[in-house]
Protein backbone atom coordinates (compact mmCIF):
# COMPACT_ATOMS: atom_id res chain seq x y z
CA UNK A 1 0.00 0.00 0.00
CA UNK A 2 2.80 2.41 -0.86
CA UNK A 3 0.35 4.55 -2.83
CA UNK A 4 -1.75 5.20 0.31
CA UNK A 5 -1.21 8.01 2.79
CA UNK A 6 -2.99 7.68 6.14
CA UNK A 7 -4.48 10.48 8.26
CA UNK A 8 -5.64 9.72 11.81
CA UNK A 9 -8.31 11.91 13.39
CA UNK A 10 -7.08 12.26 16.98
CA UNK A 11 -7.86 15.82 17.99
CA UNK A 12 -11.09 15.59 19.96
CA UNK A 13 -11.69 15.90 23.69
CA UNK A 14 -15.17 14.26 23.92
CA UNK A 15 -17.02 15.91 26.80
CA UNK A 16 -19.04 12.75 27.46
CA UNK A 17 -15.99 11.10 29.03
CA UNK A 18 -15.91 13.80 31.71
CA UNK A 19 -12.66 13.88 33.71
CA UNK A 20 -11.02 11.13 31.61
CA UNK A 21 -10.52 13.76 28.89
CA UNK A 22 -9.94 16.66 31.26
CA UNK A 23 -6.20 16.64 30.58
CA UNK A 24 -5.86 14.46 27.47
CA UNK A 25 -7.53 13.88 24.08
CA UNK A 26 -9.73 10.82 23.79
CA UNK A 27 -7.16 9.11 21.57
CA UNK A 28 -4.78 9.03 24.56
CA UNK A 29 -7.29 7.63 27.09
CA UNK A 30 -6.09 4.28 28.49
CA UNK A 31 -8.14 1.18 27.67
CA UNK A 32 -7.84 -2.49 28.74
CA UNK A 33 -5.24 -1.60 31.35
CA UNK A 34 -2.14 -1.11 29.18
CA UNK A 35 -3.30 0.31 25.85
CA UNK A 36 -4.56 3.66 24.63
CA UNK A 37 -7.28 4.11 22.05
CA UNK A 38 -4.89 5.22 19.33
CA UNK A 39 -2.82 2.02 19.67
CA UNK A 40 -5.43 0.06 17.74
CA UNK A 41 -5.55 2.19 14.60
CA UNK A 42 -1.75 2.57 14.62
CA UNK A 43 -1.31 -1.19 14.93
CA UNK A 44 -3.80 -1.73 12.10
CA UNK A 45 -1.78 0.60 9.89
CA UNK A 46 1.42 -1.17 10.86
CA UNK A 47 0.17 -4.62 9.81
CA UNK A 48 -1.35 -3.13 6.63
CA UNK A 49 2.03 -1.96 5.37
CA UNK A 50 1.18 1.75 5.33
CA UNK A 51 4.42 3.72 5.31
CA UNK A 52 3.43 7.25 6.25
CA UNK A 53 0.88 8.48 8.77
CA UNK A 54 -0.21 11.96 9.79
CA UNK A 55 -1.92 12.36 13.18
CA UNK A 56 -4.30 15.31 13.42
CA UNK A 57 -4.24 16.41 17.04
CA UNK A 58 -5.43 19.58 18.73
CA UNK A 59 -6.71 19.30 22.31
CA UNK A 60 -3.91 19.01 24.91
CA UNK A 61 -1.70 16.97 22.54
CA UNK A 62 1.27 16.53 24.90
CA UNK A 63 0.28 13.15 26.34
CA UNK A 64 -0.45 11.86 22.83
CA UNK A 65 2.85 13.15 21.47
CA UNK A 66 4.71 11.62 24.41
CA UNK A 67 2.99 8.29 23.86
CA UNK A 68 3.67 8.13 20.12
CA UNK A 69 7.22 9.45 20.26
CA UNK A 70 9.10 8.70 17.05
CA UNK A 71 6.66 5.95 16.10
CA UNK A 72 9.23 3.20 16.69
CA UNK A 73 6.79 1.10 18.74
CA UNK A 74 4.71 0.64 15.56
CA UNK A 75 7.74 0.42 13.22
CA UNK A 76 7.12 3.85 11.69
CA UNK A 77 10.81 4.64 11.37
CA UNK A 78 13.10 4.39 8.36
CA UNK A 79 14.07 6.23 5.23
CA UNK A 80 10.63 5.87 3.66
CA UNK A 81 8.47 5.39 6.75
CA UNK A 82 7.35 7.96 9.24
CA UNK A 83 4.69 9.33 11.54
CA UNK A 84 3.99 13.01 12.18
CA UNK A 85 1.82 14.91 14.62
CA UNK A 86 -0.07 17.60 12.70
CA UNK A 87 -1.45 20.32 15.01
CA UNK A 88 -3.29 23.38 13.64
CA UNK A 89 -0.82 25.77 12.07
CA UNK A 90 -2.61 28.17 9.70
CA UNK A 91 -2.94 30.97 12.24
CA UNK A 92 -2.28 32.06 15.80
CA UNK A 93 -5.83 32.72 16.91
CA UNK A 94 -8.20 30.21 18.50
CA UNK A 95 -10.45 30.65 15.47
CA UNK A 96 -7.66 29.13 13.38
CA UNK A 97 -7.90 25.85 15.28
CA UNK A 98 -9.44 22.84 13.55
CA UNK A 99 -13.13 23.58 13.10
CA UNK A 100 -14.00 19.94 12.53
CA UNK A 101 -12.64 16.69 11.15
CA UNK A 102 -12.85 17.83 7.53
CA UNK A 103 -11.17 21.15 8.33
CA UNK A 104 -8.37 19.29 10.10
CA UNK A 105 -7.51 17.42 6.90
CA UNK A 106 -8.07 20.55 4.80
CA UNK A 107 -5.50 22.49 6.85
CA UNK A 108 -2.98 19.75 6.01
CA UNK A 109 -3.49 19.53 2.27
CA UNK A 110 0.18 20.45 1.86
CA UNK A 111 1.09 17.30 3.81
CA UNK A 112 -0.97 15.21 1.39
CA UNK A 113 0.54 16.97 -1.63
CA UNK A 114 4.04 16.35 -0.29
CA UNK A 115 3.59 12.58 -0.70
CA UNK A 116 1.41 12.67 -3.83
CA UNK A 117 -0.51 9.49 -2.89
CA UNK A 118 -3.06 7.91 -5.17
CA UNK A 119 -5.35 7.26 -2.18
CA UNK A 120 -5.83 8.76 1.27
CA UNK A 121 -7.00 6.60 4.16
CA UNK A 122 -8.73 8.57 6.92
CA UNK A 123 -9.45 6.83 10.23
CA UNK A 124 -10.58 7.91 13.68
CA UNK A 125 -8.32 7.13 16.63
CA UNK A 126 -11.06 6.22 19.10
CA UNK A 127 -12.40 2.93 17.74
CA UNK A 128 -11.26 -0.54 18.83
CA UNK A 129 -10.93 -3.20 16.14
CA UNK A 130 -8.39 -5.37 14.32
CA UNK A 131 -8.40 -4.73 10.57
CA UNK A 132 -5.88 -5.27 7.80
CA UNK A 133 -6.64 -2.24 5.65
CA UNK A 134 -5.29 -4.09 2.61
CA UNK A 135 -8.68 -5.83 2.45
CA UNK A 136 -10.36 -2.43 2.19
CA UNK A 137 -7.78 -1.33 -0.37
CA UNK A 138 -8.41 -4.34 -2.64
CA UNK A 139 -12.16 -3.94 -2.32
CA UNK A 140 -11.86 -0.27 -3.25
CA UNK A 141 -9.82 -1.04 -6.38
CA UNK A 142 -12.00 -3.99 -7.47
CA UNK A 143 -15.05 -1.72 -7.44
CA UNK A 144 -13.22 1.19 -9.10
CA UNK A 145 -14.54 3.26 -6.19
CA UNK A 146 -13.99 6.94 -5.63
CA UNK A 147 -14.75 6.60 -1.93
CA UNK A 148 -15.25 3.54 0.28
CA UNK A 149 -16.71 3.91 3.79
CA UNK A 150 -16.38 1.15 6.40
CA UNK A 151 -19.54 0.09 8.23
CA UNK A 152 -20.18 -2.40 10.99
CA UNK A 153 -23.45 -3.86 12.20
CA UNK A 154 -24.72 -3.02 15.71
CA UNK A 155 -27.43 -4.73 17.75
CA UNK A 156 -28.58 -1.64 19.60
CA UNK A 157 -29.24 1.59 17.74
CA UNK A 158 -28.18 4.78 19.52
CA UNK A 159 -27.90 8.40 18.34
CA UNK A 160 -24.11 8.44 18.82
CA UNK A 161 -23.22 7.11 15.35
CA UNK A 162 -23.48 7.82 11.67
CA UNK A 163 -25.77 5.33 9.90
CA UNK A 164 -25.64 4.17 6.29
CA UNK A 165 -27.92 2.34 3.90
CA UNK A 166 -26.25 0.16 1.25
CA UNK A 167 -27.85 -1.49 -1.76
CA UNK A 168 -27.20 -5.08 -2.88
CA UNK A 169 -24.00 -3.97 -4.57
CA UNK A 170 -22.90 -2.15 -1.36
CA UNK A 171 -23.24 1.24 -2.99
CA UNK A 172 -24.05 4.02 -0.54
CA UNK A 173 -27.72 4.92 -0.91
CA UNK A 174 -28.16 7.09 2.18
CA UNK A 175 -26.16 8.34 5.15
CA UNK A 176 -27.35 10.13 8.28
CA UNK A 177 -25.09 11.46 11.01
CA UNK A 178 -26.37 10.91 14.57
CA UNK A 179 -30.08 10.72 13.65
CA UNK A 180 -32.75 10.50 16.35
CA UNK A 181 -34.25 7.55 14.51
CA UNK A 182 -31.47 5.50 12.84
CA UNK A 183 -32.46 4.25 9.35
CA UNK A 184 -30.46 1.00 9.61
CA UNK A 185 -28.15 -0.94 11.91
CA UNK A 186 -25.02 -0.20 9.86
CA UNK A 187 -22.85 2.35 11.65
CA UNK A 188 -19.82 4.15 10.30
CA UNK A 189 -16.45 3.15 11.75
CA UNK A 190 -15.08 6.54 10.65
CA UNK A 191 -12.76 4.79 8.23
CA UNK A 192 -12.74 6.26 4.72
CA UNK A 193 -10.62 5.46 1.68
CA UNK A 194 -10.63 8.34 -0.82
CA UNK A 195 -9.25 8.82 -4.27
CA UNK A 196 -6.91 11.72 -3.54
CA UNK A 197 -8.05 14.01 -6.35
CA UNK A 198 -11.69 13.77 -5.25
CA UNK A 199 -10.80 14.24 -1.56
CA UNK A 200 -8.95 17.48 -2.25
CA UNK A 201 -11.85 18.74 -4.34
CA UNK A 202 -14.37 17.92 -1.59
CA UNK A 203 -12.24 19.52 1.11
CA UNK A 204 -11.88 22.75 -0.83
CA UNK A 205 -15.63 22.86 -1.41
CA UNK A 206 -16.33 22.18 2.26
CA UNK A 207 -13.93 24.94 3.36
CA UNK A 208 -16.41 27.46 1.99
CA UNK A 209 -19.22 26.07 4.16
CA UNK A 210 -20.08 26.79 7.79
CA UNK A 211 -19.74 23.20 9.03
CA UNK A 212 -16.71 20.99 8.57
CA UNK A 213 -17.39 17.41 9.68
CA UNK A 214 -16.67 14.38 7.48
CA UNK A 215 -19.78 12.40 8.32
CA UNK A 216 -22.37 15.16 8.33
CA UNK A 217 -20.94 17.45 5.67
CA UNK A 218 -19.04 15.26 3.21
CA UNK A 219 -20.09 11.61 3.44
CA UNK A 220 -23.82 12.43 3.69
CA UNK A 221 -23.60 14.48 0.48
CA UNK A 222 -21.90 11.62 -1.37
CA UNK A 223 -24.80 9.21 -0.83
CA UNK A 224 -26.43 8.24 -4.11
CA UNK A 225 -23.52 9.40 -6.27
CA UNK A 226 -21.77 6.90 -8.59
CA UNK A 227 -18.79 4.89 -7.34
CA UNK A 228 -19.39 5.53 -3.63
CA UNK A 229 -19.25 2.20 -1.80
CA UNK A 230 -19.61 0.77 1.67
CA UNK A 231 -17.38 -1.98 3.07
CA UNK A 232 -19.05 -4.31 5.60
CA UNK A 233 -16.75 -5.08 8.53
CA UNK A 234 -17.90 -8.21 10.39
CA UNK A 235 -15.36 -8.72 13.17
CA UNK A 236 -15.20 -7.32 16.72
CA UNK A 237 -15.58 -3.56 16.97
CA UNK A 238 -15.67 -1.45 20.11
CA UNK A 239 -16.40 2.20 20.72
CA UNK A 240 -16.56 4.28 23.89
CA UNK A 241 -18.17 7.66 23.47
CA UNK A 242 -19.62 7.91 26.97
CA UNK A 243 -18.63 6.82 30.48
CA UNK A 244 -21.13 3.94 30.30
CA UNK A 245 -19.76 2.81 26.94
CA UNK A 246 -16.17 3.08 28.19
CA UNK A 247 -17.02 1.02 31.27
CA UNK A 248 -18.89 -1.62 29.25
CA UNK A 249 -16.10 -1.92 26.66
CA UNK A 250 -13.56 -2.62 29.41
CA UNK A 251 -15.85 -5.12 31.12
CA UNK A 252 -16.47 -6.86 27.78
CA UNK A 253 -12.71 -7.32 27.52
CA UNK A 254 -12.74 -9.28 30.78
CA UNK A 255 -15.32 -11.60 29.24
CA UNK A 256 -13.15 -12.26 26.18
CA UNK A 257 -9.48 -11.71 27.09
CA UNK A 258 -8.42 -14.29 24.49
CA UNK A 259 -9.51 -11.83 21.79
CA UNK A 260 -6.41 -9.66 22.30
CA UNK A 261 -4.04 -12.61 22.11
CA UNK A 262 -4.74 -12.87 18.39
CA UNK A 263 -4.35 -9.14 17.77
CA UNK A 264 -0.90 -7.68 17.03
CA UNK A 265 -1.62 -4.54 19.08
CA UNK A 266 1.42 -2.54 20.10
CA UNK A 267 1.78 0.26 22.61
CA UNK A 268 4.42 2.39 24.30
CA UNK A 269 4.85 0.44 27.52
CA UNK A 270 7.86 2.54 28.55
CA UNK A 271 5.78 5.74 28.51
CA UNK A 272 2.96 4.04 30.37
CA UNK A 273 5.39 2.99 33.07
CA UNK A 274 6.80 6.48 33.63
CA UNK A 275 10.02 5.51 31.85
CA UNK A 276 10.77 2.63 34.22
CA UNK A 277 10.75 -1.08 33.58
CA UNK A 278 8.11 -2.91 35.61
CA UNK A 279 8.74 -6.04 37.57
CA UNK A 280 6.02 -8.72 37.46
CA UNK A 281 2.98 -8.21 39.67
CA UNK A 282 3.27 -9.44 43.27
CA UNK A 283 0.07 -11.08 44.42
CA UNK A 284 -0.76 -12.44 47.85
CA UNK A 285 -4.42 -11.40 47.82
CA UNK A 286 -7.56 -12.90 46.29
CA UNK A 287 -8.18 -12.21 42.59
CA UNK A 288 -10.98 -13.43 40.34
CA UNK A 289 -11.81 -12.62 36.70
CA UNK A 290 -9.49 -9.61 36.55
CA UNK A 291 -6.60 -8.23 34.48
CA UNK A 292 -3.57 -7.23 36.54
CA UNK A 293 -0.72 -5.15 35.07
CA UNK A 294 2.99 -5.49 35.71
CA UNK A 295 4.33 -3.87 38.84
CA UNK A 296 1.04 -4.19 40.73
CA UNK A 297 1.12 -5.22 44.39
CA UNK A 298 -2.10 -6.98 45.40
CA UNK A 299 -2.61 -7.90 49.02
CA UNK A 300 -6.37 -7.34 49.09
CA UNK A 301 -9.35 -8.61 47.08
CA UNK A 302 -9.93 -7.84 43.39
CA UNK A 303 -13.07 -8.96 41.55
CA UNK A 304 -14.00 -8.43 37.89
CA UNK A 305 -11.65 -5.45 37.53
CA UNK A 306 -8.85 -4.10 35.34
CA UNK A 307 -5.74 -2.79 37.07
CA UNK A 308 -3.10 -0.94 35.06
CA UNK A 309 0.62 -1.27 35.87
CA UNK A 310 1.82 -0.02 39.23
CA UNK A 311 -1.47 -0.22 41.16
CA UNK A 312 -1.23 -1.09 44.85
CA UNK A 313 -4.12 -2.77 46.72
CA UNK A 314 -3.30 -3.19 50.40
CA UNK A 315 -4.59 -5.68 52.97
CA UNK A 316 -8.32 -5.70 53.60
CA UNK A 317 -9.08 -3.52 50.54
CA UNK A 318 -11.72 -4.73 48.08
CA UNK A 319 -11.94 -3.62 44.44
CA UNK A 320 -15.07 -4.77 42.58
CA UNK A 321 -16.20 -4.10 38.98
CA UNK A 322 -13.67 -1.29 38.63
CA UNK A 323 -11.07 0.16 36.25
CA UNK A 324 -7.98 1.42 38.09
CA UNK A 325 -5.33 3.22 36.03
CA UNK A 326 -1.57 3.48 36.51
CA UNK A 327 0.17 3.99 39.85
CA UNK A 328 -2.96 4.35 41.96
CA UNK A 329 -2.56 3.45 45.64
CA UNK A 330 -5.46 1.86 47.51
CA UNK A 331 -4.86 1.69 51.25
CA UNK A 332 -6.08 -0.87 53.80
CA UNK A 333 -9.79 -1.64 54.17
CA UNK A 334 -10.89 0.52 51.23
CA UNK A 335 -13.99 -0.61 49.34
CA UNK A 336 -14.47 0.35 45.66
CA UNK A 337 -17.44 -0.67 43.54
CA UNK A 338 -18.07 0.35 39.91
CA UNK A 339 -15.26 2.91 40.04
CA UNK A 340 -13.22 4.33 37.15
CA UNK A 341 -10.05 5.72 38.70
CA UNK A 342 -7.55 7.74 36.65
CA UNK A 343 -3.76 7.72 37.14
CA UNK A 344 -1.81 8.48 40.32
CA UNK A 345 -4.82 8.57 42.65
CA UNK A 346 -4.37 7.89 46.37
CA UNK A 347 -7.28 6.46 48.35
CA UNK A 348 -6.87 6.60 52.11
CA UNK A 349 -7.50 3.83 54.61
CA UNK A 350 -11.11 2.68 55.15
CA UNK A 351 -12.51 4.94 52.42
CA UNK A 352 -15.68 3.78 50.62
CA UNK A 353 -16.43 4.77 47.01
CA UNK A 354 -19.41 3.92 44.84
CA UNK A 355 -21.12 1.62 47.33
CA UNK A 356 -24.32 3.62 47.93
CA UNK A 357 -26.87 5.57 45.92
CA UNK A 358 -26.85 3.57 42.67
CA UNK A 359 -30.36 4.80 41.87
CA UNK A 360 -29.50 8.52 42.27
CA UNK A 361 -28.26 10.01 38.97
CA UNK A 362 -25.72 12.81 38.72
CA UNK A 363 -27.29 16.22 39.29
CA UNK A 364 -25.10 17.83 36.63
CA UNK A 365 -24.61 14.92 34.21
CA UNK A 366 -27.86 13.01 34.57
CA UNK A 367 -27.70 11.51 31.08
CA UNK A 368 -24.09 10.37 31.51
CA UNK A 369 -23.88 9.19 35.12
CA UNK A 370 -26.94 7.23 36.15
CA UNK A 371 -25.90 3.57 36.10
CA UNK A 372 -23.94 3.56 39.37
CA UNK A 373 -20.45 4.40 38.05
CA UNK A 374 -18.15 6.76 39.98
CA UNK A 375 -15.23 8.52 38.26
CA UNK A 376 -12.08 9.90 39.92
CA UNK A 377 -9.75 12.22 38.01
CA UNK A 378 -5.95 12.24 37.90
CA UNK A 379 -3.97 12.71 41.12
CA UNK A 380 -7.02 12.98 43.36
CA UNK A 381 -6.32 12.28 47.04
CA UNK A 382 -9.17 10.68 48.97
CA UNK A 383 -8.52 11.06 52.73
CA UNK A 384 -9.03 8.12 55.10
CA UNK A 385 -12.62 7.14 55.96
CA UNK A 386 -14.09 9.32 53.21
CA UNK A 387 -17.39 8.11 51.73
CA UNK A 388 -18.23 8.92 48.10
CA UNK A 389 -21.63 7.92 46.71
CA UNK A 390 -22.27 6.43 43.27
CA UNK A 391 -22.83 8.42 40.05
CA UNK A 392 -20.28 10.98 41.27
CA UNK A 393 -17.46 12.54 39.25
CA UNK A 394 -14.41 14.03 40.96
CA UNK A 395 -12.27 16.16 38.66
CA UNK A 396 -8.56 16.62 39.27
CA UNK A 397 -9.12 18.74 42.36
CA UNK A 398 -6.28 17.53 44.55
CA UNK A 399 -7.38 16.61 48.07
CA UNK A 400 -11.06 15.98 48.78
CA UNK A 401 -12.02 18.01 51.86
CA UNK A 402 -15.49 16.66 52.62
CA UNK A 403 -15.72 13.41 54.56
CA UNK A 404 -18.99 12.35 52.94
CA UNK A 405 -19.88 13.05 49.30
CA UNK A 406 -23.54 12.29 48.49
CA UNK A 407 -24.46 10.23 45.38
CA UNK A 408 -24.80 12.19 42.14
CA UNK A 409 -22.26 14.88 43.12
CA UNK A 410 -19.69 16.72 40.99
CA UNK A 411 -16.45 17.96 42.57
CA UNK A 412 -14.21 20.41 40.74
Amino acid sequence: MNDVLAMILAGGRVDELLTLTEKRPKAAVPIFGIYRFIDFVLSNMMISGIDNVGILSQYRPYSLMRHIGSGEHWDFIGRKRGIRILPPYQGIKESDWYKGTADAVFQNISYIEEFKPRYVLIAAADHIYHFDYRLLYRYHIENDALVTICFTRVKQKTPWFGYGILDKMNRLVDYQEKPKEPPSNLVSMTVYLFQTELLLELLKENARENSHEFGRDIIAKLAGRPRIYGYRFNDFWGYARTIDMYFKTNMDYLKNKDLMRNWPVRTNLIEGCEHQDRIPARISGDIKNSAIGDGCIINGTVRNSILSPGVVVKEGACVVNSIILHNTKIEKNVYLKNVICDKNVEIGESASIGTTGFEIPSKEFGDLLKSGITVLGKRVFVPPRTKIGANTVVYSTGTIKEKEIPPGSTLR
Side-chain angles (χ1 to χ4, degrees), residues 166-380:
L166 306 179
D167 66 13
K168 293 181 179 180
M169 300 296 293
N170 288 327
R171 292 171 295 203
L172 185 66
V173 175
D174 188 24
Y175 181 89
Q176 298 178 30
E177 184 71 13
K178 299 177 182 177
K180 292 183 179 179
E181 297 183 5
S184 72
N185 60 357
L186 287 177
V187 303
S188 170
M189 298 169 62
T190 317
V191 176
Y192 317 122
L193 186 59
F194 280 88
Q195 182 196 67
T196 302
E197 184 178 348
L198 175 62
L199 174 63
L200 299 185
E201 177 185 322
L202 293 170
L203 290 174
K204 291 172 183 177
E205 289 178 3
N206 176 258
R208 297 189 289 267
E209 303 295 331
N210 295 321
S211 184
H212 310 281
E213 299 294 340
F214 262 105
R216 180 176 62 232
D217 304 313
I218 291 183
I219 302 301
K221 293 179 180 179
L222 292 174
R225 289 176 53 170
R227 299 168 65 190
I228 310 299
Y229 282 83
Y231 179 96
R232 298 175 188 261
F233 181 80
N234 296 315
D235 291 328
F236 176 88
W237 170 81
Y239 184 65
R241 174 81 186 196
T242 67
I243 287 293
D244 276 349
M245 295 168 74
Y246 177 79
F247 187 84
K248 182 180 183 302
T249 299
N250 277 277
M251 293 299 111
D252 285 347
Y253 165 70
L254 288 179
K255 298 175 184 176
N256 191 16
K257 286 182 283 190
D258 288 339
L259 178 72
M260 296 297 298
R261 294 176 184 174
N262 300 319
W263 288 14
V265 182
R266 294 191 183 181
T267 188
N268 182 353
L269 285 172
I270 296 176
E271 184 275 333
C273 295
E274 308 300 331
H275 301 289
Q276 296 179 7
D277 293 332
R278 299 282 191 190
I279 62 174
R282 290 182 287 170
I283 299 172
S284 62
D286 184 10
I287 298 175
K288 290 185 180 178
N289 190 39
S290 296
I292 308 297
D294 288 342
C296 288
I297 301 174
I298 311 299
N299 296 318
T301 299
V302 180
R303 295 280 188 274
N304 198 46
S305 296
I306 297 176
L307 276 57
S308 293
V311 173
V312 175
V313 181
K314 293 193 175 180
E315 295 88 347
C318 187
V319 179
V320 180
N321 298 337
S322 295
I323 302 159
I324 312 297
L325 300 186
H326 303 72
N327 304 319
T328 289
K329 295 182 180 179
I330 301 169
E331 295 291 341
K332 294 179 180 180
N333 302 317
V334 167
Y335 197 101
L336 306 183
K337 186 174 183 179
N338 296 342
V339 174
I340 300 173
C341 185
D342 212 328
K343 293 183 177 183
N344 300 299
V345 171
E346 294 187 30
I347 303 175
E349 189 171 335
S350 299
S352 172
I353 303 177
T355 60
T356 61
F358 310 108
E359 73 286 356
I360 302 174
S362 168
K363 294 178 181 178
E364 185 173 349
F365 305 106
D367 291 337
L368 297 174
L369 280 181
K370 58 184 179 181
S371 62
I373 299 170
T374 302
V375 189
L376 304 182
K378 275 186 177 182
R379 298 183 179 86
V380 166

Side-chain angles (χ1 to χ4, degrees), residues 18-19 22 362-365 369 374-378 380-383 386-412:
L18 304 176
T19 187
E22 181 184 3
S362 168
K363 294 178 181 178
E364 185 173 349
F365 305 106
L369 280 181
T374 302
V375 189
L376 304 182
K378 275 186 177 182
V380 166
F381 174 66
V382 181
T386 300
K387 295 181 180 180
I388 302 176
N391 296 314
T392 291
V393 55
V394 181
Y395 283 81
S396 301
T397 55
T399 301
I400 295 176
K401 298 179 180 179
E402 298 87 349
K403 280 295 185 181
E404 187 162 347
I405 311 299
S409 298
T410 299
L411 273 66
R412 286 188 170 87

Side-chain angles (χ1 to χ4, degrees), residues 107-120:
Q107 286 199 35
N108 290 281
I109 282 180
S110 60
Y111 179 76
I112 298 174
E113 293 174 339
E114 175 185 346
F115 289 93
K116 298 180 176 62
R118 185 176 181 184
Y119 305 104
V120 177

Side-chain angles (χ1 to χ4, degrees), residues 123-166:
D126 56 353
H127 297 239
I128 299 167
Y129 58 96
H130 171 52
F131 188 16
D132 187 336
Y133 295 125
R134 286 174 291 194
L135 300 174
L136 171 65
Y137 175 80
R138 293 167 192 155
Y139 180 85
H140 184 86
I141 292 176
E142 288 170 0
N143 285 286
D144 191 27
L146 294 172
V147 185
T148 304
I149 303 109
C150 288
F151 291 96
T152 190
R153 191 177 300 274
V154 294
K155 295 179 181 179
Q156 183 177 0
K157 300 178 183 179
T158 72
W160 295 110
F161 307 120
Y163 289 83
I165 296 178
L166 306 179

